[in-house]
Amino acid sequence: MSSSFEQMRANVGKLLRGIDRYNPENLATLECYVETQARENAYDLEANLAVLKLYQFNPAYFQTQVTSQILLKALTNLPHTDFTLCKCMIDQTHQEERPIRQILYLGNLLETCHFQSFWTSLEENRELIDGIAGFEDSVRKYTQVKVWMNKYGWTENEEGQIFIFSQEESVKPKNIVEKIDFESVSSIMATSQ
């Protein structure tokens, strides 16, 4: 990440600490920061939630493109619940708008582990992720972990830690039966005397 991004992150951090977090005059700065996150493959949930909160308070300022970027960035942070949190902050009428509706559909496919359908749908709607650096790589990491978890029965606790069962916990006994005739054993016994 560039030093200009780090400077922007610091400025936005200061902006979000006080009452200015709810000042609609700061919306342009925060929207620019969202676009920078998408371009630089960075992520700042707190800033993104502040944008969505400002949209709730000031519906006239709502930007579909910025909201789409926020949702796509939240998808890159799965399995954390950021996507659901962001989705809940978007008014129902805006959730019906074309790019947002499609992103919500993609998110549902990922959260329910319908990975083949997700990749097919994403391929049909490539324009959704234009400008979102690292989107596919982030989603691949998530899907690979989920596939392994399902395959081997691994579990995840509330804190996001994945428990991998050892082979000893799933050992199944096996009886081995060998059939040996007396002639093959008699020659071995004769040489051992």
Side-chain angles (χ1 to χ4, degrees):
M1 280 181 256
S2 66
S3 61
S4 63
F5 176 78
E6 293 301 328
Q7 180 64 37
M8 185 179 247
R9 181 185 290 249
N11 291 340
V12 168
K14 290 176 191 170
L15 189 77
L16 296 176
R17 282 194 205 111
I19 194 74
D20 276 342
R21 131 183 259 134
Y22 302 111
N23 185 348
E25 293 174 6
N26 294 326
L27 200 49
T29 303
L30 292 170
E31 289 170 341
C32 179
Y33 184 53
V34 170
E35 291 174 13
T36 304
Q37 289 177 59
R39 203 174 43 250
E40 301 267 338
N41 196 16
Y43 183 64
D44 188 339
L45 176 64
E46 185 179 1
N48 296 346
L49 292 175
V51 171
L52 295 175
K53 182 58 80 176
L54 280 168
Y55 288 159
Q56 283 182 328
F57 290 153
N58 307 284
Y61 292 115
F62 185 84
Q63 296 283 331
T64 303
Q65 180 62 31
V66 174
T67 304
S68 297
Q69 289 175 325
I70 290 171
L71 287 171
L72 289 168
K73 289 304 294 178
L75 278 179
T76 65
N77 204 36
L78 283 173
H80 299 286
T81 59
D82 301 5
F83 181 73
T84 303
L85 184 58
C86 292
K87 179 173 64 173
C88 290
M89 295 184 72
I90 301 170
D91 185 72
Q92 185 65 35
T93 56
H94 293 300
Q95 287 187 17
E96 299 301 321
E97 294 176 14
R98 184 181 184 282
I100 295 174
R101 184 182 67 239
Q102 290 172 301
I103 295 167
L104 294 177
Y105 175 69
L106 289 173
N108 183 54
L109 290 175
L110 277 177
E111 289 179 324
T112 56
C113 297
H114 291 98
F115 301 131
Q116 284 184 314
S117 298
F118 168 81
W119 291 112
T120 302
S121 183
L122 183 64
E123 196 58 41
E124 294 168 357
N125 298 287
R126 300 269 331 145
E127 74 281 356
L128 289 175
I129 61 169
D130 286 345
I132 308 292
F135 179 82
E136 291 175 283
D137 290 336
S138 297
V139 171
R140 267 190 206 96
K141 287 177 189 172
Y142 168 71
T143 59
Q144 288 172 350
V145 167
K146 285 297 185 181
V147 167
W148 280 91
M149 287 176 67
N150 289 339
K151 183 176 181 179
Y152 294 107
W154 300 347
T155 58
E156 182 177 5
N157 69 8
E158 300 83 35
E159 297 154 8
Q161 297 172 327
I162 297 173
F163 289 94
I164 300 173
F165 295 108
S166 66
Q167 184 178 356
E168 289 81 27
E169 293 175 4
S170 61
V171 171
K172 294 179 181 139
K174 190 170 190 177
N175 292 332
I176 300 173
V177 178
E178 292 186 35
K179 295 184 179 179
I180 303 173
D181 63 348
F182 184 72
E183 283 117 24
S184 61
V185 176
S186 65
S187 63
I188 295 173
M189 292 175 65
T191 57
S192 65
Q193 288 178 358

